[in-house]
Amino acid sequence: MLKTKRKLGLIVNPIAGMGGRVGLKGTDGESTVQKAMELGALSVSPDRTVEALKVIACSDNDIDLVTYPSDMGEEESRRLGLKPTVIGTIERNHTTAHDTKKAARDMLKSRVDLVLFAGGDGTARDICEAIAQNVPALGIPAGVKIHSGVFAVNPRKAGELALNFLQGQAPLHEAEVMDIDEDAFRRNRVSARLYGYLRVPYEKQLVQDVKSGSFDTMDERRSQEAIAAHVVDRMDSKYYYVLGPGTTVKAIADKLGIGKTLLGVDVVRGGKVVAKDLNEKQLLRLLEGNRAKLILSPIGGQGFVLGRGNQQISPDVIRRIGKSNITIVATLSKLSSIGLGRPLLVDTGEPEVDKMLSGYMRVVTGYNEEIMLEIST
Amino acid sequence: MPVHHYIPNSVPEIKREMLKEIGVKNAEEIFAVIPEGIKCKRRLRLPHSSPEHEVKKAIETILSRNKTCNEVTSFLGAGCWPHYVPAVCDEVNSRSEFLTAYTGEVYSDLGRYQALFEFQSMIGDLVAMDAVSFPLYDWATAASDAGRMALIITGRREILVPRTMSPERLSVIRACCGDSAVIRQVDYNAGSGQLDLEDLEKKISSKTAAVYLENPSYLGFIETAGDDVSDIAHKHGALSIVGVEPLSLGMLTPPGEYGADIVCGEGQPLGMHMSFGGALLGFLAFHDDLKFVSATGHRLVSLAATKREGEFGFAYVLPERTMFAAREKTATITGTASVLWAITAAVYMSLLGPSGLRKLAQVIMQRCYYAAKLLSCIKGLKAPIFSSPHFEEFTVNFGNRKVHDVNSALLKQGIQGGKDLSYEFPELGNSALYCVTEVHAKEDIERLATILDGVVE
Amino acid sequence: MKAEEAHAYRAVTWNEPIIYALGRKGRQGFAIPEVEKDVKKAAGLALTYVPEKMLRKEIELPELSEPEVVRHFLRLSQETFGVDSGINVGVGTCTMKYNPKINEMLARSSKAIDIHPLQDAECVQGILELMYKLKGWLCEISGMDDLSFQPRGGAHAVFTNACIIKAYHKLINEQEERDEIITTVLSHPCNGGSPAVAGFKIITLYPNPETGIPSIEALKAAVSKHTAGLMITNPYDTGVFDINIEEYVKTIHEVGGLVAIDQANANCVLGRLRIGDSGVDLCHFNLHKTFSTPHGSCGPGSAPILVKEELSQFLPVPTVEFDGHRYYLDYDRPNSIGKVGEFYGVVPNVIRAYAWIMSVGGEGLEEVSETAVVNNNYLIKKLLKIRGVSLPWGELSPLRMHEVRLSLEKMKQDTGIGIEDVNRRIVDFGIQRCFTSHEPWIVKEPFTPEPTEACTKEDLDRFAEVFRQISDEAYANPEMIREAPHNCSISKVDLSPSTDPKKWAMTWRAYVRKHR
């Protein structure tokens, strides 16, 4: 039996989550961290990390643990009696985003099989910036802001999923890294931006899956291809198609043989690109007097189909297109990371439009396969 | 309601104890969830409970109205054939462990997984293919699954089948492949019955997913140009599917050696009693190749090691492919099919071994040939209709005598004549399909010839 | 039964080699009778008509004598765990009830097995009568009008019903439009898979998180002029009865669709609910579940479909009919969907089911369903007292029908031990492992017991006791469970061949080619 030693890279953002307990929303920026510490905030992510690592420590698997010094992973590992390989250096007393990115890049260089990180959306963004999709990653939730789909549901699950993946038992899918406009957030307005994607392991049995046991993004890609074929077969050249962000919607463009911005809203018609990466104003101008359909996919770990990562599709745009012309697409692995059967959410900013969208809608999950999900606010 | 011997907890005292533990007064409280409107309004109109000896007597009385093939000499085949079943076969499939097990894991059920693997292995050797699937319902559904595999592998929609194939199987393939496949028939050579290769060349195209051949043919003759058929299929990028009666492979070259990509067939002759057509065993074998494996949704059992040195167990190949994990994406409608028969077939093949199977095939062919020879001597009869060599079955033409009338006359003499082919193959006139195997003694065959001689005069 | 005695079980362990490693060249287990001299003389040339290329060179098969074959398979049977072997109450959805032995005697009698399906009707009146009468009984039990025995298993039956739905819409000229089937994710996977094979588009409803059944709003949003029908299992494998059934039927009929119910779980409604009475148009039974025919190590089963009168014309041919004097096979059905399998179905199981119904009788069916649900709810009460076990949707409804889906999620969270580990450990006690769930696992760490009416109270107590012991182990000494099984015929299997084409081997020849 294959017994090549698997390498796990561990990065802890020790200040993630500190803001939450003392009523702050996130710990980005040095001034906020100062404030948090003044308010007596305690570090949350180290404990969460230990919880996750416990699962791995208790297994009889031979896994090489690679981590960064002191509270970026070394301390947490030693607390469990693990003997990690410590790489890199930290210059300052408390760590910053710079350190997270450096650590991630060093992990990539060390050829780890998985980067397990503890933190929040901000940490995820840093990891993503450093490694993109070059190596799989998984988040231990320890931040206040968790809108990204790259986190396990709790620390213990993160440990299990990491272990499963290293044992070759968990497939990968692409999950969104979201980040929120911090200032807006602190003023009680939620406005999430789609930042990028990471390849993240997921639990097989919670999901119906396609074919081949190859533990790769192949599984999810096949689903996306099937969804794309389903949508393309029904396309009508008389309509403009407004394509939202995300990898599943991009698969539709791939099927048509055209390019698409991964993070933005594009418009196509008759199988050809009309315009790319439009904002609300541009969209409204384009839709003037034209029939259009909208294709959306849930973004992030909470299942928002409108209101996070695609705010260009404003209430006006939605009203212009009309509910019956909206198609939602999502792979089952995506839906399972949100919670299979759970409602999808909308937050357009206008309660009337939200209400119009509420109720059950079809979600395309494969070729000639749809499920009914509730859309709720 | 008195206590029933199949229901241990029907004893009122026991039930009371249990209801108390549940915390309800009576079972009606549990059934309260069923909407009143749809509950039964009346007692079911069924007989009262009967003790065992009454059940036995009643059913035996009804069954006594059957005249078995021990009481009537039957020459019927056509998808269900009479063969001698060794006592060991029934001994093993009566073992209550095999009989009453279902889908336990390999730890508790090692025996049935191993028996199944041995069945797969022996079928693999018999047809010369390396991958064999979980047992299926019957030849017809196995052929449908083979067709669907070809559609998936090639991405094409057309399947070419011989005009001489079993009409029942064709009906099933049409129903099971439905709108996803276009099924077209290829003509046969009027003299030999063989698949008309010219017509095949004419009909095959880049739209063809597979060419399906039955060997021996439904009409009993051996298709001798299987290699040419496979070549033609492959030349056009199509797959070659061959359906077989496995006993013929005791002496005939297996399809795996003449270019078949997928082999299917009927395992009933491998130790199953005819049972009014109710004991069928479909099997499916194909190249041990990821492309083929991915195209089938059946469970596939593989040999595997365990954590103990030198020990072995079993595991399922790519379990995500199956219905149980992939729901709508699967290409099969087979679930609980026929494992007990697969185990029986493994026993049968173990008992006969290579020399037994070879000998049996020869004996069948010899008896079949003898019968055809005797019948062909009868004035007005032509047997067989086709000039090719035959195995186990052959066609008989009765000139201007209707098969129905011939069979009625035969039955009065305690003989069940062959299957009437006049509706399925009107171009063959008044013809029937006669089956002769190792169970037909010389006297049976000669008696048939004598009586037929009298009947057609 | 004391807990200490639990460790007394040890499975038979023969380390029996694969049969290819047994026997010796030249041995034979069966003698083929010689042909007579005259036959040999006349037919001698028969073989020479076969072209050389079609004559087989050799067959590589094991060569064993009869006693060797008997011993080998007897040993394998001893390493198999059936209903007769021990407790199977954990094996839900399969309805592992007792398989009466008188049924075996009758189904294996010469009058039952030595008949050919194409024999003249005169010669097979007996078997036709049994088929006809069982048809009548099953129609009476389900409130339906007509039946076909042709489908062999549940997936086959659901497929056949999907074909009938298709044929129905074709006849009324709406087939083009009617291309969608609605199902629910907690129905058996074939309720989506089989109609997909029949060419339908599938729309799946998910259960409401509080109730465990879909909401009517979801169904109403899913129906349209494209709806051909609804195909679901009721009650679900979770043991929850879908009380919306009447509303579903109304909604589907209103848009012109048909409703088909998978009655694999009919064991809890026998004598209490005739599904036809609720307006349902098609259904099927699993004789190897509800009607006591044995599971046969996974087949043969039997899954007759039943339909309302107006759909009778579409049934597969032939059907068994009676003209007042004689029983006969009716092929004169021009609107039939054709055939879905060769001949008529799993006839030996018709005999077994008939015998079982005779034995329990009409009133006995009510006893069956009552005892089945009492057994199940008693077991639930006991299992819920065990640490780590929880009942999904339990707050709203603590009772279930004949089976129940429970969850070990709490145990998994607390100890890291989940259902797959527990299943490998429970077999150490001489108890069959639990059925988990079809995928996707809507319920996390699921297990689905189904006692049936045929187990004893002692079985249930023992099962609960062993489960409690395993739970204690999970919290105190999980290593014991992780490395299980310890008392079975083999140890933990290395699953790597599952996904590696270079390693897997479905035949001995493939194994030799790849590994030797």
Side-chain angles (χ1 to χ4, degrees), chain C residues 272-314:
Chain C
R272 296 177 189 276
L273 166 67
R274 297 165 85 233
I275 200 71
D277 292 348
S278 53
V280 161
D281 307 289
L282 313 99
C283 73
H284 82 266
F285 280 124
N286 296 60
L287 298 187
H288 52 288
K289 295 187 179 185
T290 316
F291 293 92
S292 91
T293 75
H295 293 86
S297 285
C298 198
S302 172
I305 53 165
L306 299 102
V307 300
K308 285 288 171 66
E309 200 175 330
E310 67 166 337
L311 298 175
S312 177
Q313 55 182 308
F314 303 111

Side-chain angles (χ1 to χ4, degrees), chain B residues 195-267:
Chain B
L195 190 77
D196 184 341
L197 295 178
E198 266 178 45
D199 196 39
L200 176 62
E201 287 276 25
K202 242 192 284 176
K203 293 193 166 123
I204 196 169
S205 71
S206 57
K207 290 208 215 78
T208 311
V211 179
Y212 170 71
L213 191 69
E214 296 196 328
N215 202 0
S217 163
Y218 169 70
L219 296 175
F221 56 83
I222 299 166
E223 293 270 10
T224 55
D227 47 356
D228 293 328
V229 173
S230 296
D231 283 343
I232 294 172
H234 295 152
K235 203 169 56 183
H236 293 263
L239 296 183
S240 166
I241 303 175
V242 180
V244 297
E245 198 276 57
L247 289 182
S248 70
L249 298 180
M251 55 170 277
L252 295 182
T253 302
E257 284 175 22
Y258 56 79
D261 299 296
I262 306 176
V263 182
C264 56
E266 179 54 58

